[in-house]
DNA sequence: TGGGCCCGCGCC
DNA sequence: AAAGGGCGCGGGCCCA
C-alpha cells in the first residue's frame, strides 16, 4: 500500500477509525467524521494495514473487540486504543448519567453533535469540579483523548439524583448492525449521547477503560496462563491417587465412600446426590437440613470426617481434575475465555475454564517458563479504599494510609482486633444485619459517617427500585417484574401481612445488591484502569527488544516481552523475562497509583499492593 | 435427550 | 464459625 490515509482527529486530536466488515472476506476503514471510506481490503490484509496505521495511535472503533483483536494478535499486531460499540452501547443505555441525553438524542439525525451548552439547556446537571489534578497526572497514554481534567471525579453520583421519579429504560441496546454505515451511525449516536450527558469526561473515561479491558481480555486469552500439566497431575495424584480408567472414581474416593457408607449403615447411598445423602443422614438420626460442609461440620458422627474429605476430593475431581486438564490446558498454556464487564457491576466473568475460581490447591501448577518469572500483585483491601474515595471520607482514607486498612481501624480505636475490623467493613459493604458482622457495623458508622452514608443511600435507593451508579457512571439494573409486582401488591389496602413481609424482604435484598454495587462496581473500574495503565507501561519495558522471535508457546506478540496473563478482580499476574521482573513490579505499583489518580484525583486515598516475584503462583501467598 | 432448576462450593 | 454482595461450574434430578 503506497499511501495510507487516516480518519479525522477526535478528542484532543486523536484520530478515530471505524473498522467494519464489508461483505464476506472484506473489511472497510471509515473516517467517522466525514463518513469517507479510507480503505477496503481483504481481511487477510487487514492486520498489516492496521499495524501501519497504528503508528498514528488512532482509537479503533468497532462493533465488538472479540471480532477483530484475536485475528490481529494471531498476526502479531497489537493495537493501543479501541472503542467497543457493544460494551459502550450497553453502558450508555443503562447509565443514569446519560438518561436525559438518551432521550434528547433519540429521533434526531445522529450526525448532529451536541455540546455541553445544549446539555445544560436540557437540564442535565453540570459537572461538578473534582479535586485538583494539576501537576499530578502523568501522561496517561490510554486515556489522553478521553479524560478531561476534573469531571471524572465529579461529586458522587449518589449525592444528587436528577432522575428521581423519571421512568428508566431497562433494555440493553441491541448489537449494531454489521454494515459500515450502521456502525458509523451508531458511533455518532454514542458520541452524541456522551456529549449531551453533562458529564462527558466521566463517561468517556469509563468507555475508554472498558474498551481497554476488552483488548486486554483478548490478549490474556492469546497469551494464555503458563501452566505445568505435570505439576497439576502431581497434585491430582497426591490427593486422589492415580487417574482412574474410563468413568470410574479414583481409588481414594472409593475408600472414603466405603467408610461413610459403613458408618451410616447405608451400603447403597449415593454421596453425589444431595437428596439421597440428606435422607440418609436424617435416617441415621442426625438433625441436619443441608449437606453443606458448614452444616456437616457441626455434627458429631463417625461418618462426617470421611464424608467431608470425600466432598473435598469430589470437588477437586469435577472442577479441576484430569478432564479439566484435557480440555483447557494445551502446550503449556491454560486459555480461559474472559468476559469483560460480564457481570452487572462491571466485574469480569469467564465463560469456560473457571479461571476466576482457580482453587488454591492447583495454583502450584501455574508456573513461569524457564528463565521467566511471575509478578503476582493484588490490591490490599481494595473495596474499603474505593469506598473511602467514593465518599470522600478523609478519616477512612487516613486509616489506610501507609498501612493495612484493618490495622488502621484498630489503631483508631474503632474496633478491637483486625478480624473485627474486617467483619465490620465487609458487613457495611455487603449489608450484614445480623451476627458478629452486623453487630460491628454501627461502630464503623460512628467512626466513618460519610462512608456509611454513601452505602446506606445506595441501599435505600435500591429498596425503592431506583438505579444506583458507580464512580465512572455505570448504573445498576432495575429490579424485574416479579419484584415490582411484589411491591405493588404490598401497597394495596388489602395487602396481607405476609404480602408486606415478602415485599419488605425482597426490597431489602435488592438494597443489599445496590449497596454492594456502588462499591464493587467502582472497585472494578479502579481495577480495569490499573490494568490498562499497566498494559501501557509493560509495552515500553519490552520496547527496543526483538519483538519477533521464533514463535514460543505465547506466540510472537508476547515472546520475550512482559505481558499480563491473569486477572482476578483485584489481582493481576504478569509473566516476564526474569531480567525485567523488578522493573515490572515497579510498573505494577506505579500503575496502581496512576489508577488512583485517574479515579480520585488528589483525594488522599492510597492503593498499596502486595506484589511478589515468584516462579509459582503457589509461592505468592 | 436436552433444558432448566437446585444445591454445593471454589474464587473475589 | 458464619454472615452479608458478586460470580461459574458440575452433578443430580425433574420434566417435556
Amino acid at each position: 500500500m503506497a499511501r495510507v490515509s487516516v480518519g479525522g482527529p477526535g478528542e484532543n486530536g486523536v484520530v478515530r477509525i471505524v473498522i467494519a466488515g464489508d461483505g464476506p472476506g472484506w473489511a472497510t476503514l471509515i473516517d467517522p467524521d466525514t463518513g469517507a471510506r479510507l480503505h477496503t481490503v481483504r481481511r487477510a490484509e487487514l492486520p498489516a494495514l492496521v499495524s501501519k496505521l497504528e503508528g498514528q495511535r488512532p482509537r479503533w472503533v468497532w462493533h465488538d473487540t472479540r471480532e477483530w483483536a484475536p485475528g490481529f494478535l494471531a498476526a502479531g499486531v497489537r493495537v493501543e486504543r479501541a472503542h467497543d460499540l457493544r460494551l459502550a452501547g450497553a453502558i450508555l443505555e443503562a447509565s443514569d448519567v446519560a438518561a436525559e441525553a438518551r432521550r434528547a438524542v433519540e429521533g434526531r439525525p445522529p450526525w448532529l453533535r451536541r455540546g455541553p451548552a445544549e446539555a445544560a439547556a436540557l437540564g442535565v446537571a453540570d459537572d461538578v469540579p473534582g479535586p485538583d489534578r494539576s501537576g499530578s497526572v502523568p501522561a496517561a497514554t490510554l486515556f489522553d483523548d478521553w479524560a478531561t481534567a476534573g469531571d471524572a471525579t465529579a461529586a458522587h453520583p449518589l449525592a444528587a439524583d436528577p432522575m428521581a421519579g423519571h421512568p428508566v429504560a431497562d433494555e440493553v441496546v441491541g448489537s449494531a448492525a454489521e454494515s459500515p454505515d450502521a456502525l458509523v451511525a451508531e458511533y455518532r449516536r454514542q458520541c452524541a449521547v456522551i456529549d449531551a450527558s453533562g458529564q462527558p469526561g466521566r463517561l468517556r473515561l469509563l468507555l475508554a477503560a472498558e474498551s481497554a479491558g476488552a483488548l486486554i481480555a483478548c490478549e490474556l486469552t492469546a497469551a494464555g496462563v503458563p501452566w505445568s500439566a505435570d505439576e497439576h497431575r502431581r497434585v491430582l495424584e497426591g490427593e486422589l491417587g492415580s487417574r482412574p480408567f474410563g468413568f470410574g472414581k479414583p481409588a481414594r474416593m472409593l475408600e472414603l465412600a466405603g467408610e461413610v457408607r459403613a458408618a451410616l449403615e447405608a451400603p447403597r447411598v449415593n454421596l453425589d446426590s444431595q437428596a439421597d445423602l440428606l435422607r440418609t443422614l436424617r435416617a441415621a438420626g442426625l438433625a441436619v437440613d443441608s449437606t453443606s460442609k458448614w452444616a456437616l461440620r457441626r455434627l458429631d458422627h463417625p461418618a462426617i470426617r470421611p464424608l467431608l474429605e470425600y466432598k473435598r476430593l469430589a470437588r477437586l475431581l469435577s472442577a479441576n481434575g484430569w478432564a479439566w486438564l484435557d480440555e483447557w490446558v494445551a502446550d503449556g498454556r491454560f486459555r480461559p475465555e474472559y468476559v469483560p464487564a460480564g457481570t452487572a457491576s462491571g466485574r469480569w466473568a469467564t465463560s469456560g475454564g473457571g479461571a476466576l475460581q482457580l482453587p488454591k490447591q492447583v495454583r502450584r501448577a501455574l508456573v513461569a517458563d524457564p528463565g521467566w518469572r511471575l509478578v503476582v500483585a493484588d490490591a490490599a483491601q481494595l473495596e474499603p479504599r474505593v469506598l473511602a474515595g467514593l465518599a470522600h471520607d478523609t478519616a477512612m482514607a487516613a486509616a489506610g494510609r501507609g498501612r493495612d486498612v484493618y490495622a488502621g481501624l484498630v489503631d483508631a480505636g474503632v474496633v478491637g482486633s483486625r478480624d473485627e475490623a474486617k467483619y465490620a467493613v465487609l458487613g457495611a459493604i455487603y449489608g450484614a444485619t445480623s451476627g458478629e458482622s452486623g453487630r460491628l457495623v454501627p461502630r464503623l458508622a460512628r467512626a466513618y459517617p460519610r462512608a456509611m452514608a454513601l452505602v446506606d443511600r445506595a441501599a435505600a435507593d435500591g429498596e425503592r427500585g431506583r438505579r444506583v451508579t458507580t464512580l465512572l457512571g455505570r448504573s445498576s439494573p432495575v429490579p424485574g417484574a416479579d419484584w415490582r409486582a411484589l411491591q405493588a401488591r404490598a401497597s394495596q389496602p388489602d395487602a396481607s401481612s405476609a404480602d408486606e413481609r415478602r415485599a419488605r424482604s425482597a426490597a431489602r435484598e435488592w438494597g443489599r445488591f445496590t449497596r454492594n454495587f456502588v462499591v464493587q462496581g467502582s472497585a472494578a473500574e479502579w481495577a480495569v484502569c490499573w490494568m490498562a495503565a499497566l498494559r501501557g507501561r509493560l509495552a515500553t519495558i519490552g520496547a527496543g527488544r526483538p519483538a519477533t522471535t521464533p514463535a514460543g508457546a505465547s506466540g510472537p506478540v508476547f515472546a520475550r516481552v512482559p505481558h499480563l496473563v491473569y486477572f482476578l478482580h483485584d489481582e493481576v499476574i504478569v509473566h516476564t523475562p526474569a531480567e525485567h521482573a523488578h522493573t515490572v513490579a515497579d510498573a505494577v505499583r506505579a500503575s496502581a497509583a496512576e489508577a488512583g489518580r485517574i479515579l480520585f484525583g488528589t483525594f488522599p486515598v492510597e492503593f498499596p499492593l502486595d506484589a511478589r516475584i515468584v516462579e509459582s503462583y503457589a509461592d505468592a501467598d
Side-chain angles (χ1 to χ4, degrees):
Chain A
M1 61 202 87
R3 190 173 172 286
V4 172
S5 51
V6 299
E11 306 290 334
N12 294 357
V14 169
V15 167
R16 284 89 37 80
I17 308 175
V18 177
I19 302 184
D22 195 8
W26 291 84
T28 292
L29 274 51
I30 306 156
D31 174 350
D33 289 330
T34 65
R37 300 201 174 201
L38 307 169
H39 302 276
T40 297
V41 297
R42 292 189 178 281
R43 288 197 184 216
E45 297 160 9
L46 186 60
L49 176 60
V50 165
S51 178
K52 190 159 186 174
L53 291 170
E54 183 65 16
Q56 312 274 342
R57 303 182 61 213
R59 187 170 292 278
W60 299 97
V61 179
W62 49 48
H63 173 207
D64 187 340
T65 303
R66 294 172 300 190
E67 192 179 329
W68 300 102
F72 296 169
L73 290 168
V77 176
R78 292 175 82 195
V79 306
E80 183 182 347
R81 302 187 263 225
H83 178 95
D84 186 305
L85 291 166
R86 184 183 60 88
L87 286 175
I91 289 169
L92 292 173
E93 199 59 25
S95 176
D96 264 358
V97 176
E100 205 51 68
R102 275 198 302 277
R103 278 188 286 280
V105 168
E106 209 169 34
R108 295 211 188 181
W111 54 89
L112 283 182
R113 302 277 299 267
R114 296 163 202 278
E118 188 173 356
L122 292 169
V124 178
D126 276 326
D127 285 359
V128 178
D132 173 29
R133 297 157 54 108
S134 58
S136 67
V137 182
T141 57
L142 257 149
F143 305 122
D144 54 8
D145 59 326
W146 289 90
T148 51
D151 81 348
T153 51
H156 187 269
L158 300 177
D161 185 3
M163 292 314 300
H166 288 67
V168 285
D170 54 355
E171 75 278 10
V172 169
V173 73
S175 57
E178 292 295 330
S179 84
D181 291 343
L183 283 196
V184 171
E186 172 60 9
Y187 179 57
R188 288 174 175 172
R189 187 192 69 84
Q190 292 187 5
C191 290
V193 170
I194 293 164
D195 286 344
S197 71
Q199 299 188 40
R202 181 178 173 192
L203 288 176
R204 285 192 190 110
L205 178 53
L206 175 59
L207 302 186
E210 290 298 310
S211 297
L215 287 170
I216 290 166
C218 290
E219 291 169 7
L220 287 169
T221 301
V225 183
W227 200 269
S228 165
D230 286 342
E231 190 60 40
H232 191 148
R233 285 189 201 100
R234 277 192 283 278
V235 171
L236 294 178
E237 283 161 18
E239 297 273 16
L240 297 159
S242 56
R243 181 174 192 170
F245 294 102
F247 294 97
K249 290 225 167 70
R252 182 77 190 117
M253 285 176 68
L254 293 175
E255 284 170 32
L256 289 162
E259 288 180 45
V260 174
R261 292 194 181 106
L264 291 173
E265 298 178 25
R268 310 184 66 94
V269 62
N270 177 4
L271 302 187
D272 300 321
S273 165
Q274 188 267 148
D276 193 11
L277 179 58
L278 187 59
R279 255 194 317 274
T280 306
L281 290 170
R282 300 181 79 127
L286 293 165
V288 65
D289 48 17
S290 153
T291 62
S292 75
K293 67 178 177 184
W294 303 113
L296 297 178
R297 243 175 226 179
R298 290 191 208 138
L299 304 176
D300 181 23
H301 189 281
I304 298 305
R305 187 205 54 79
L307 177 55
L308 288 172
E309 179 67 359
Y310 176 91
K311 286 165 72 82
R312 191 179 71 82
L313 296 182
R315 168 75 193 184
L316 175 63
L317 176 67
S318 71
N320 297 98
W322 291 279
W324 181 90
L325 207 42
D326 290 344
E327 184 173 357
W328 292 103
V329 177
D331 301 325
R333 291 293 183 272
F334 164 41
R335 293 179 199 277
E337 189 176 328
Y338 291 93
V339 185
T343 76
S345 69
R347 269 193 178 180
W348 289 22
T350 53
S351 81
L356 304 186
Q357 300 100 241
L358 279 183
K360 296 223 156 60
Q361 280 167 304
V362 303
R363 291 184 176 186
R364 61 182 58 262
L366 201 172
V367 290
D369 287 351
W372 289 58
R373 295 293 182 274
L374 305 171
V375 177
V376 179
D378 71 284
Q381 307 98 40
L382 177 59
E383 293 196 342
R385 293 173 191 278
V386 165
L387 173 55
L390 271 176
H392 281 203
D393 192 316
T394 50
M396 196 169 180
R401 202 138 60 234
R403 65 192 159 182
D404 180 290
V405 169
Y406 304 132
L409 263 58
V410 175
D411 291 351
V414 177
V415 289
S417 70
R418 190 179 186 280
D419 272 356
E420 282 190 333
K422 201 167 171 176
Y423 292 137
V425 167
L426 294 182
I429 294 173
Y430 293 160
T433 53
S434 63
E436 178 76 353
S437 186
R439 190 176 63 75
L440 290 164
V441 168
R443 295 160 75 171
L444 199 74
R446 278 195 295 280
Y448 308 111
R450 289 184 68 107
M452 203 65 214
L454 187 143
V455 288
D456 283 347
R457 170 70 193 272
D461 283 344
E463 289 184 19
R464 294 157 68 190
R466 291 186 183 168
R467 295 184 195 272
V468 297
T469 300
T470 60
L471 178 70
L472 292 186
R474 170 181 264 110
S475 295
S476 63
V478 289
D482 291 353
W483 188 94
R484 291 196 300 272
L486 267 183
Q487 305 305 321
R489 191 175 315 137
S491 63
Q492 297 296 317
D494 62 339
S496 70
S497 62
D499 288 337
E500 286 167 2
R501 191 157 20 85
R502 270 195 296 273
R504 190 75 204 123
S505 164
R508 285 217 188 87
E509 189 178 334
W510 197 261
R512 285 195 298 275
F513 166 61
T514 53
R515 170 191 293 273
N516 184 248
F517 181 96
V518 293
V519 180
Q520 185 184 108
S522 301
E525 286 160 359
W526 181 91
V528 78
C529 287
W530 177 37
M531 234 180 349
L534 176 58
R535 173 180 185 259
R537 289 176 193 259
L538 291 179
T540 68
I541 293 171
R545 299 179 58 80
T548 48
T549 56
S554 296
V557 178
F558 303 109
R560 295 199 173 280
V561 296
H563 55 273
L564 282 156
V565 293
Y566 189 61
F567 172 54
L568 181 57
H569 306 316
D570 63 355
E571 177 172 355
V572 298
I573 301 180
V574 178
H575 194 209
T576 178
E579 67 267 29
H580 295 316
H582 285 96
T583 310
V584 167
D586 289 343
V588 172
R589 286 190 203 92
S591 300
E594 185 178 338
R597 285 192 297 272
I598 289 170
L599 292 189
F600 300 109
T602 55
F603 183 77
V605 57
E606 290 180 349
F607 293 93
L609 303 178
D610 293 324
R612 304 190 64 164
I613 298 167
V614 295
E615 293 185 50
S616 167
Y617 192 20
D619 301 329
D621 278 327

